[in-house]
Amino acid sequence: MGIAALVPVWTVKNLKTVLHTQDGVVHAVNGISFELSEGELLAVVGESGSGKSVTMMSLLQLLPTPPAEIISGSVYFEGKNLLELSTADIRHFRGAKIGFIFQDPMTSLNPVFSVGFQIMEPLREHLGMSKKQARQRAVELLELVGIPSAGDRLNDFPHQFSGGMRQRVVIAIALSCDPKVLIADEPTTALDVTVQAQILELVRDLRQKLGMTIIWITHDLGVAAGIADRVMVMYGGFAVEHADVKEIFKNPRHPYTSALLETLPGHESEGAERLRSIDGQPPDLVIKPVSCPFAPRCAYAQDICRRENPKLTSIENSDADIHEIACWVDIESGSLRK
Amino acid sequence: MLNYTIRRLLFAVPTLLVISFIIFAILDLAPSDPTGNLPLTIPAEVRAQIREALGLGQPFPIRYMKWLQQFFINEPLNMMEQWWGIQIGDSANRLRVTSWATRSPVVDLIVERMPQTLWVVGMSYVLGILIALPIGVISAYKQYSIFDQIGTFISMIGFSVPTFFTGIVLIVIFSVQLGWLPSIYDTTLQVTDWPSFWKQVKQMMMPVFVLALFNAAQIARFMRSSMLDNLNQDYVRTARAKGLREQTVVLTHVLRNSLIPVVTVIALGIPQVFGGAIITEQIFRVNGLGQLLIIGIEGADIPLVQTLTFIFAVLIVLFNLVADLLYGILDPRIRYD
Ligand SMILES: Nc1ncnc2c1ncn2[C@@H]1O[C@H](COP(=O)(O)OP(=O)(O)O)[C@@H](O)[C@H]1O
Ligand SMILES: [Mg+2]
C-alpha cells in the first residue's frame, strides 16, 4: 500500500446503528470501524442482511430517522465528523464529495424525469453550473460511462434504458461532481452476469482514470477478489475479518470467511460440482448480540463463543499489512487464540 | 396520442348510445304520469289528450328515436344558430327536447342554471383541491405528527359526515344564531360593485365551505397515501444521496410522481361538479343543476331527467378519457400506441 496508506481520507470508528421496528429493535450495525486511504478500494462482503447497506447509508445519514437511529460512532472525512453535521450541512458532502451507487438500477432513478435532468441536478446544485454547461457535462459523463450516442439520449427516460445502461446512468450521476469517495452498494447484484462483468470493467477503468477512493459492497467474494485492495467481511452487523485482498483469499482466518470461500465455484474442497451454502440461519438481529453471532453455525464454536463476543484484533504472525479477525478460535489449531 | 384519442372518442359513441337507451328505457318503465299532478277535477279524456300532446301515445322505439334526433341533431343545430346568429334550415319548426312541466326547452333550463352550479360547486372543487394538496403532502411527509393526526381526523369528519348535516349545522350557527350569512342563495344578485360582490361572497361562503370540506377530505387522503407510497421509493434515496435540498427531493421528485394518480382522481371528479351537489344545492337553495334534477324527478318531468342524466353520462365518459390522457402526459412510461 506504500505511502498512500498513511493518508486516511475516511475514518469510521465504532459505528452502531439500530432500527426501531414493530418487531423490536434491530441491531443492524454493531460497532464497525475502518479506514480508507486515498485511491484505495475496500470491498465490504457479507451475506444479505448482514448490515452492509445500513452501514453505508449511516455514513451519510441517509437512513430515515425513525426507524433508524445511529447510537454511537464517528465518521471523519475532511476533518469533520459527518454524523454530527446538520441535514443542511451534510447535503454538501452527499453527491458533491461522496458519490453513491445503489443496488437496483430499475428503481433507483426517478421514472418521470429524463436522465439528462437527473444527471444535471447535482451539477447545478453543487457546482453552480448553468443549464448549458450542465448539459454539456452530462453528455461527457454519459460518454465516460460508455453510453452510445450520449447526446441523443439525454432526453430519454429511465425506462428507455436497459438495466445495465441504467446502472451506467446511476454511475454517471454518482461521478458527476468528481467525488473523492465513491460508495457502491451492490451495484452489480441486480444485473445479468455479462452486464455485471461490463460494469466491473467500467469501474476498474474509471478508477484508473479518476483515481477515486471506493467502498464496494458485494455479497460475492468472487467480485471482491477481482477489484479490491482490501476486504472487510461482515456478519450479523459485525466486521468479522478484515485483511488485504490477497491475504484473505490465501489465508482466511475467520470460520465464516473460510466457509464463504468454500461456497465459491472452483473452491470446492471435495470436488463437488454444485454450489454449496453455509448451513444454518443468519442471526436474528432483534436479539441484542452478546455472544459471537456466528457461533450457532460455526464448526469451531466453543463455550466462550456462546458467552462472549470476540473483538476485532490483529492476528499474530501474519506478513500482510492488515489482518484482523473477531474470533476466539485459531482455526488452524482448533484451540483458543492467545 | 392523437390516434388513441380519436379511437377512444369513436369508441365512446356506441357506449353513449347504449347508455342513452338504458336511461330512456328505465325512465320510461317508471310508473309516472305527467298528468298526475293536475287537479282531480280534470276529466280522463282531457288527461288522455294531454298525454297525446306530449307524444306519449307513440310506441317506445319511436319516442326514443325522436329524442335521439332532438338531442343529437336539433339541439346542436339550435346552439350553432344562437352562437353564430345564423339560420340553418327550418329552425322555427324544429322540435327541441321540451320539459313537460314548464314547456320550455330543457337545454335552455340547463343553460340558465349552469352558472350557479359552476360558481358554487366548481369553486368548492377548486378550493377543495387547493386545500387538500398541501395538507396531503405535509401529512405524508410528517406522518404520525400532530399535524398529520389532526389532518386525518378532519379528513375523516369531512369524509364521513354528510353534507346535509354540516350544511344545516352551519346554517343554524351562522344564519340563525349569529345572523352573519344568508341561508338562501339569491340568484338574481348582480355583481356590479364592491358591496354586491361582498354580498355574493357571503352567500357563497357556506355552500362552498361545506362542499370544499368534503372534496378536500377526499383528495387530501388520496394525496397523502400517494405521497407515502412514493416517499419510500428508491429514487427518493437516490435524490437525497445526490445532495439535493430536502425541499427539492419532496416537492420535485416525490410530488411529481405522487400527483399522477391524484390528478386522475381530480379529473374523474369533475363530472360531479356539473352534476351539482344535489343535496347541498337543495339545502342552501342554490338553483343549480342539482336542484333542477330534483325538481324534474319530483314533477315526473321525464324529458328533463332523461336529458340531464344523459349529459352527466356524457361528462363521465369524457372525463374518463381526459383522465387517461392526463395519465399518459404525466407518466412517460405510458405509451398509447
Ligand atoms: N428500513 C428498515 N427498517 C427495518 N429494518 C431494516 C431496514 N433496513 C434494513 N433493515 C434490517 O437491517 C438489517 C441489515 O440490513 P442491510 O444493511 O440492508 O443488509 P445488507 O445490505 O447487508 O443485505 C436487516 O436485518 C434488515 O432487515
Ligand atoms: Mg444491501
Side-chain angles (χ1 to χ4, degrees), chain B residues 30-285:
Chain B
S32 68
D33 181 1
T35 64
N37 284 343
L38 296 176
L40 287 170
T41 52
I42 292 177
E45 310 88 77
V46 180
R47 284 173 195 267
Q49 273 171 9
I50 292 176
R51 274 190 222 114
E52 198 69 29
L54 292 173
L56 275 172
Q58 283 154 333
F60 172 81
I62 304 275
R63 277 182 286 128
Y64 176 59
M65 296 310 281
K66 273 194 163 167
W67 179 83
L68 280 185
Q69 191 210 351
Q70 287 167 3
F71 186 84
F72 283 105
I73 301 171
N74 294 0
E75 288 297 346
L77 280 177
N78 197 56
M79 228 171 246
M80 284 190 248
E81 284 181 354
Q82 279 187 358
W83 278 345
W84 297 320
I86 49 167
Q87 177 127 18
I88 309 169
D90 182 12
S91 50
N93 287 326
R94 193 184 298 133
L95 276 179
R96 301 182 62 186
V97 186
T98 310
S99 155
W100 285 348
T102 63
R103 306 301 297 154
S104 55
V106 166
V107 172
D108 291 356
L109 290 177
I110 294 173
V111 169
E112 219 167 74
R113 287 174 175 254
M114 190 87 88
Q116 286 80 270
T117 291
L118 283 187
W119 265 110
V120 173
V121 189
M123 174 80 85
S124 71
Y125 202 56
V126 172
L127 200 69
I129 294 167
L130 291 180
I131 298 172
L133 296 188
I135 290 184
V137 170
I138 300 173
S139 298
Y141 187 64
K142 305 226 178 267
Q143 196 187 6
Y144 306 132
S145 66
I146 300 285
F147 183 94
D148 183 30
Q149 314 251 357
I150 293 174
T152 309
F153 181 69
I154 294 177
S155 287
M156 283 294 287
I157 291 179
F159 194 63
S160 49
V161 178
T163 50
F164 62 77
F165 184 77
T166 21
I168 288 169
V169 168
L170 286 186
I171 289 179
V172 167
I173 297 175
F174 291 100
S175 302
V176 180
Q177 302 283 334
L178 298 169
W180 290 351
L181 301 170
S183 71
I184 294 178
Y185 190 92
D186 176 9
T187 323
T188 56
L189 181 73
Q190 298 277 335
V191 178
T192 50
D193 49 7
W194 285 112
S196 62
F197 174 74
W198 179 234
K199 249 185 136 169
Q200 174 70 10
V201 169
K202 278 206 318 200
Q203 69 175 356
M204 280 176 66
M205 226 177 251
M206 282 196 294
V208 166
F209 177 81
V210 167
L211 282 173
L213 179 69
F214 185 73
N215 291 329
Q218 245 174 329
I219 296 168
R221 281 156 53 113
F222 253 105
M223 188 74 233
R224 177 176 180 272
S225 72
S226 182
M227 283 290 287
L228 283 177
D229 282 348
N230 277 287
L231 275 167
N232 291 322
Q233 298 289 318
D234 285 355
Y235 70 79
V236 182
R237 191 186 53 188
T238 309
R240 290 210 174 97
K242 289 201 288 194
L244 302 179
R245 283 162 218 276
E246 192 61 14
Q247 199 183 324
T248 315
V249 173
V250 177
L251 295 184
T252 305
H253 285 258
V254 182
L255 185 60
R256 178 66 176 67
N257 280 278
S258 309
L259 274 179
I260 297 172
V262 176
V263 166
T264 311
V265 166
I266 289 174
L268 288 176
I270 290 179
Q272 286 168 19
V273 173
F274 287 89
I278 295 172
I279 293 166
T280 314
E281 284 191 358
Q282 198 69 5
I283 292 172
F284 292 100
R285 302 280 192 282

Side-chain angles (χ1 to χ4, degrees), chain A residues 19 21 26 28 47-54 67 285:
Chain A
L19 295 145
T21 68
V26 175
E47 61 193 353
S48 176
S50 56
K52 307 181 297 291
S53 298
V54 172
L285 298 178

Side-chain angles (χ1 to χ4, degrees), chain A residues 43-332:
Chain A
V44 178
V45 183
E47 61 193 353
S48 176
S50 56
K52 307 181 297 291
S53 298
V54 172
T55 306
M56 297 310 147
M57 307 262 274
S58 300
L59 300 179
L60 284 175
Q61 301 184 31
L62 274 175
L63 288 167
T65 49
E69 187 195 351
I70 298 174
I71 50 178
S72 86
S74 62
V75 177
Y76 275 92
F77 178 74
E78 295 194 338
K80 290 210 175 69
N81 183 354
L82 297 187
L83 298 185
E84 282 172 357
L85 293 181
S86 68
T87 330
D89 289 334
I90 191 124
R91 199 167 71 71
H92 301 295
F93 286 85
R94 295 177 186 163
K97 291 170 176 163
I98 300 152
F100 226 112
I101 306 172
F102 295 100
Q103 175 167 348
D104 190 353
M106 291 315 194
T107 56
S108 55
L109 290 169
N110 193 325
V112 303
F113 293 112
S114 69
V115 299
F117 175 86
Q118 296 187 57
I119 301 175
M120 284 154 67
E121 264 187 317
L123 294 171
R124 305 194 38 144
E125 182 69 42
H126 298 301
L127 307 181
M129 285 189 180
S130 70
K131 252 203 176 109
K132 212 174 141 206
Q133 288 171 317
R135 232 187 138 69
Q136 203 179 340
R137 172 93 175 116
V139 175
E140 285 168 21
L141 282 162
L142 285 184
E143 276 165 1
L144 180 72
V145 296
I147 289 183
S149 51
D152 301 333
R153 305 226 57 186
L154 227 45
N155 292 326
D156 284 355
F157 290 92
H159 71 273
Q160 290 164 298
F161 291 77
S162 67
M165 285 296 152
R166 271 192 233 189
Q167 195 60 300
R168 285 170 195 260
V169 172
V170 175
I171 294 173
I173 293 174
L175 296 178
S176 58
C177 300
D178 271 327
K180 257 194 153 151
V181 179
L182 186 68
I183 300 177
D185 188 355
E186 307 207 32
T188 59
T189 304
L191 303 174
D192 295 343
V193 181
T194 45
V195 183
Q196 187 174 340
Q198 288 164 8
I199 297 282
L200 281 173
E201 192 50 49
L202 172 70
V203 171
R204 247 184 242 125
D205 188 40
L206 287 173
R207 205 183 149 206
Q208 225 158 38
K209 273 192 206 153
L210 311 172
M212 265 173 312
T213 309
I214 301 178
I215 305 178
W216 189 277
I217 297 155
T218 172
H219 64 241
D220 186 346
L221 262 179
V223 169
I227 54 168
D229 298 320
R230 232 169 357 113
V231 177
M232 181 166 87
V233 180
M234 281 185 71
Y235 187 84
F238 290 93
V240 292
E241 183 153 11
H242 179 204
D244 298 340
V245 64
K246 285 211 184 82
E247 172 78 2
I248 213 157
F249 282 94
K250 204 173 66 202
N251 188 20
R253 301 300 287 271
H254 194 282
Y256 176 62
T257 315
S258 76
L260 264 189
L261 281 172
E262 301 260 305
T263 66
L264 279 183
H267 260 270
E268 300 91 349
S269 38
E270 284 110 44
E273 282 295 309
R274 63 187 176 83
L275 289 178
R276 303 189 344 167
S277 58
I278 305 170
D279 291 336
Q281 292 294 313
D284 181 1
L285 298 178
V286 176
I287 299 161
K288 195 173 165 65
V290 285
S291 56
C292 173
F294 189 60
R297 296 165 85 179
C298 183
Y300 304 89
Q302 305 192 7
D303 281 350
I304 186 163
C305 304
R306 299 185 191 94
R307 267 187 287 115
E308 261 181 84
N309 203 347
K311 286 205 166 51
L312 190 68
T313 50
S314 290
I315 58 167
E316 300 111 49
N317 55 45
S318 154
D319 24 319
D321 282 345
I322 301 174
H323 195 166
E324 304 169 305
I325 58 169
C327 184
W328 293 115
V329 181
D330 176 13
I331 57 175
E332 269 167 12

